[in-house]
Amino acid sequence: MNRSITGRHFELTDAIKAYANALIDGLSKYNLDIISINAIISQEQKHGKNLITFEYVLNIAHQDTVVVKQKDKDIHNAIDIATDRVCKVLRRHADKIKAHDATKLTEV
């Protein structure tokens, strides 16, 4: 699984990189063939307030690309919420694969 963490208009610290990597490692528990994970952190100002946007881009084999974006004032909240949303998507996909197991004619 390839992974990259990118900061746009945002300076990435080692603590934020380690935090994001720890959460990305947790995505392997779904046993899906994840080809690559890109985490993009960007900062923008609207109406004088700083907003952090955290975005996951997952490439899963034999499926379309999964993109999840989350905006928040705090970087850790944005990462946590986006990770929860990605886990939900991956869990649903894993459940579909497990539920779709074909039964053999000898078992019927």
Side-chain angles (χ1 to χ4, degrees):
M1 169 172 56
N2 296 329
R3 66 178 73 183
S4 69
I5 300 173
T6 307
R8 293 183 183 159
H9 307 291
F10 184 81
E11 185 175 338
L12 291 175
T13 62
D14 291 334
I16 292 173
K17 284 183 184 179
Y19 185 69
N21 275 327
L23 293 176
I24 289 172
D25 286 337
L27 298 178
S28 63
K29 69 181 178 183
Y30 295 102
N31 295 327
L32 295 173
D33 192 13
I34 299 174
I35 297 170
S36 67
I37 298 177
N38 297 326
I40 302 166
I41 303 170
S42 61
Q43 182 177 7
E44 60 185 52
Q45 286 191 353
K46 283 193 174 181
H47 308 292
K49 296 181 182 179
N50 288 335
L51 282 179
I52 304 294
T53 304
F54 188 80
E55 178 180 0
Y56 275 122
V57 179
L58 281 83
N59 293 320
I60 302 173
H62 310 295
Q63 187 182 4
D64 293 333
T65 302
V66 176
V67 178
V68 173
K69 289 184 182 180
Q70 183 63 43
K71 289 185 180 182
D72 204 328
K73 295 178 186 176
D74 184 33
I75 183 67
H76 294 289
N77 287 343
I79 293 173
D80 289 339
I81 294 170
T83 303
D84 290 341
R85 290 175 58 199
V86 165
C87 286
K88 187 175 183 179
V89 169
L90 293 178
R91 186 187 70 236
R92 285 182 178 174
H93 182 63
D95 289 345
K96 282 182 185 179
I97 290 173
K98 289 178 185 175
H100 191 54
D101 288 340
T103 58
K104 298 177 184 177
L105 290 176
T106 57
E107 293 176 3
V108 175

